[in-house]
Amino acid sequence: MKLPSKLSRLFSLLGSEFTRHPKDTELVTVFATDKNDCRNDGTARPNPFMPSNRYGNTSCYRIKDIVTHDIWKISIEKVLKLSKNIKKIYGRFDFQAKTIYDQALLFDPNNKPYRHADIINWPSDKQAQKNRAQQIAAESTFHCEITYLTYTAQIKYDISNKRLIGNVIVNGNNVSFESQLVNDLPENLKQAIVEQLDT
Amino acid sequence: MSTGLAYSYCPYPYTDSGSSGVSPESEQLSVRRIEILTSVSERTQESKLSRIKKAIDTLKKLNQTYSIDDWDGRGALAIPVNACEEAVQLILQLPDKYTMPEIIPETTGEVGLEWYVNPYQVLLLSLAGNGYIYFSGLFGYKNTEYGSKPIAGQLDTKIISLLDEVTI
């Protein structure tokens, strides 16, 4: 009886990395879910960092020791697919945990789902919140090269004209096309279609 | 702008009488100068009007797109019509020397008017439709300001001074 208990403690210790508070230099990310979250020059606006009106905190993910592909996988599997009102992931904003501590904010490292944390301890005044969010935005770096694709496709191949007719939804974003030559399509979309046709 | 402004910039006295003591060539030049200045001032006014029209169109679209709660999937509040109306009012009050801001929806249910130079030099004026202008800005590294001012017939001097900070 003792062994399972020890094992369970060991496993809980092993799995507790993301239930501890992040160190100053640890990288954290917030996903952009609205086109206005970032400016044309790729800098962040305060919106994505503002605490949710529903829960009073800001949802973020810890991206320490993770490959880029898996960060985008989180954005699609844990963010896009779990909220009916998020239509698209536009990118992500990375920043160091210190940026949060500098604003007298804290992390709730709940690790639910895996790697998730909430930014808490926001002041109650909306303008004070916005001012802190502006400062976090200024310190963050935008990335938009989403490499993780999920898609549904309805495609017909017009043999005589060598054209594809169909509709593909990639990462929740409708990129429908009609009568477009296969070679005109973006490489990642072509790959998605080929995989779909293979299945 | 009236042609009066153009006259004031004219270095030569212009009169309709032919006895001005100025040669016909230079009188023609003066007339041409006035025409050019008038045309420039008309174009400036036209461009301001078209910028205001563009801003109003953006606000109309914003009102349509962001008028329901949770538009960002993170619990954002709907933007009320009053907020858009206040934004129009503020844009109309904006002195000519300032550029038109970027108009953005805010998760707090406000219309945001953003003047952006760089990430550390940015001013955000927010309108919630409750008679106040809320401001928050960064004016250099660690130099920040935020607060609110009631909306009046003219832009508050505090708001003007903040706009000056982000105007090159």
Side-chain angles (χ1 to χ4, degrees):
Chain A
M1 291 296 283
K2 277 181 184 176
L3 189 63
S5 157
K6 274 184 182 173
L7 269 177
S8 124
R9 204 179 306 158
L10 178 67
F11 280 130
S12 95
L13 279 172
L14 284 172
S16 68
E17 183 182 8
F18 295 111
T19 57
R20 292 192 206 118
H21 289 271
K23 287 179 184 163
D24 278 6
T25 53
E26 188 178 323
L27 271 184
V28 179
T29 199
V30 164
F31 295 108
T33 59
D34 185 80
K35 64 180 177 192
N36 290 297
D37 282 354
C38 92
R39 303 186 186 94
N40 291 338
D41 68 352
T43 54
R45 288 210 168 95
N47 264 354
F49 305 99
M50 285 291 283
S52 149
N53 293 297
R54 219 180 281 150
Y55 308 112
N57 53 35
T58 305
S59 179
C60 65
Y61 280 87
R62 300 168 71 171
I63 54 171
K64 178 187 172 190
D65 300 330
I66 185 173
V67 293
T68 310
H69 181 80
D70 287 343
I71 303 173
W72 295 121
K73 187 174 179 180
I74 290 173
S75 79
I76 303 302
E77 301 295 336
K78 305 294 179 195
V79 180
L80 180 73
K81 285 187 177 175
L82 297 185
S83 171
K84 69 179 167 73
N85 284 341
I86 295 178
K87 303 283 186 287
K88 185 180 172 181
I89 298 293
Y90 291 84
R92 67 171 209 266
F93 302 104
D94 296 354
F95 51 93
Q96 288 191 343
K98 184 180 182 300
T99 312
I100 298 304
Y101 299 139
D102 284 349
Q103 298 303 320
L105 302 172
L106 297 169
F107 288 96
D108 168 19
N110 45 52
N111 201 29
K112 287 175 188 169
Y114 182 57
R115 288 180 178 272
H116 181 264
D118 284 311
I119 300 167
I120 57 169
N121 208 34
W122 287 92
S124 56
D125 178 64
K126 289 278 175 208
Q127 290 313 298
Q129 291 175 357
K130 212 175 284 179
N131 198 257
R132 281 164 171 73
Q134 276 181 315
Q135 292 181 72
I136 301 166
E139 296 281 325
S140 70
T141 314
F142 183 58
H143 298 274
C144 60
E145 66 297 351
I146 302 175
T147 56
Y148 182 80
L149 291 177
T150 60
Y151 53 85
T152 54
Q154 290 177 314
I155 305 158
K156 286 177 186 173
Y157 186 55
D158 178 358
I159 297 170
S160 55
N161 294 315
K162 292 185 179 175
R163 280 165 185 236
L164 282 169
I165 304 165
N167 185 58
V168 182
I169 300 169
V170 182
N171 291 353
N173 186 33
N174 197 328
V175 283
S176 68
F177 60 92
E178 280 183 20
S179 303
Q180 219 171 356
L181 285 167
V182 184
N183 287 339
D184 293 342
L185 295 172
E187 203 54 46
N188 54 6
L189 188 55
K190 224 183 330 183
Q191 191 190 332
I193 291 164
V194 169
E195 283 173 24
Q196 179 72 12
L197 289 173
D198 284 349
T199 58
Chain B
M1 293 288 171
S2 68
T3 47
L5 178 70
Y7 273 96
S8 71
Y9 280 100
C10 181
Y12 304 106
Y14 174 74
T15 57
D16 285 337
S17 78
S19 58
S20 59
V22 180
S23 71
E25 289 80 14
S26 55
E27 201 164 274
Q28 265 187 344
L29 275 174
S30 296
V31 172
R32 181 75 192 120
R33 188 180 165 82
I34 289 162
E35 281 172 1
I36 290 168
L37 287 170
T38 309
S39 145
V40 167
S41 73
E42 275 171 1
R43 259 184 287 154
T44 310
Q45 209 171 34
E46 197 179 278
S47 119
K48 193 193 173 187
L49 275 174
S50 72
R51 284 191 306 160
I52 290 172
K53 193 178 171 296
K54 198 178 158 195
I56 290 171
D57 285 346
T58 308
L59 280 163
K60 274 185 194 166
K61 278 183 202 157
L62 190 138
N63 183 236
Q64 286 163 1
T65 316
Y66 299 96
S67 59
I68 48 158
D69 283 338
D70 198 32
W71 47 262
D72 67 344
R74 295 179 297 217
L77 299 178
I79 293 174
V81 181
N82 289 356
C84 295
E85 286 170 355
E86 283 183 355
V88 172
Q89 194 184 334
L90 195 146
I91 286 167
L92 290 173
Q93 287 178 350
L94 204 62
D96 293 354
K97 70 169 180 171
Y98 301 114
T99 54
M100 279 289 155
E102 281 282 317
I103 300 170
I104 50 167
E106 292 192 71
T107 55
T108 44
E110 295 162 311
V111 174
L113 304 180
E114 186 185 64
W115 283 264
Y116 169 81
V117 181
N118 61 54
Y120 294 99
Q121 202 177 351
V122 57
L123 172 65
L124 184 61
L125 299 183
S126 308
L127 301 139
N130 61 0
Y132 280 85
I133 301 175
Y134 298 92
F135 59 86
S136 177
L138 308 182
F139 309 102
Y141 187 67
K142 302 265 180 195
N143 181 12
T144 72
E145 264 198 86
Y146 62 88
S148 64
K149 288 285 172 189
I151 295 174
Q154 278 190 320
L155 265 187
D156 190 276
T157 50
K158 175 69 187 173
I159 303 294
I160 297 277
S161 74
L162 294 174
L163 280 166
D164 285 335
E165 295 271 356
V166 287
T167 303
I168 304 168

